[in-house]
Amino acid sequence: AVVSTQSTGYMGEMIGAADFYLNRVLKDFKEVAAHKQWCAAVRAVFTALKEYVSENHKKGVNWNPNGSDAKAAAAKVYGGGSAPAAPAAPKAPPPPPPCAVSAA
């Protein structure tokens, strides 16, 4: 098994990278409370993810190069041969009407 022991360090770097952009949002939208709440929520998600990784993957994330086939793993999870199909994309709207050109 391949083990990466730098998971929490990487998460710390990603929190720092996110902070760079979150601070930009906070600077540009000082007066908007919703933006402040959103930035706090994004930071909380990254912080919680770092805590989860440090608690549940103390030796790093284990990758099994001899793991099972993806279809077999999906069958265990979803009870079928593969993951559920994605919903169909919505139809595109009709094109705009032609532009009228006036002769001057």
Side-chain angles (χ1 to χ4, degrees):
V2 178
V3 178
S4 171
T5 57
Q6 301 174 358
S7 302
T8 55
Y10 177 76
M11 289 302 303
E13 290 176 19
M14 291 300 99
I15 291 172
D19 278 343
F20 176 80
Y21 291 102
L22 295 174
N23 287 336
R24 179 74 187 261
V25 170
L26 291 173
K27 184 184 105 184
D28 291 348
F29 301 97
K30 291 178 186 175
E31 308 302 322
V32 183
H35 290 308
K36 291 178 184 178
Q37 293 170 346
W38 181 82
C39 289
V42 169
R43 185 146 192 355
V45 166
F46 279 120
T47 303
L49 182 59
K50 182 179 178 184
E51 290 173 13
Y52 172 82
V53 169
S54 65
E55 289 174 11
N56 296 293
H57 300 283
K58 293 182 189 213
K59 294 183 180 179
V61 178
N62 291 321
W63 301 98
N64 184 355
N66 300 321
S68 63
D69 180 55
K71 286 186 180 181
K76 285 182 184 178
V77 174
Y78 298 108
S82 63
K91 281 183 70 176
C99 181
V101 179
S102 62

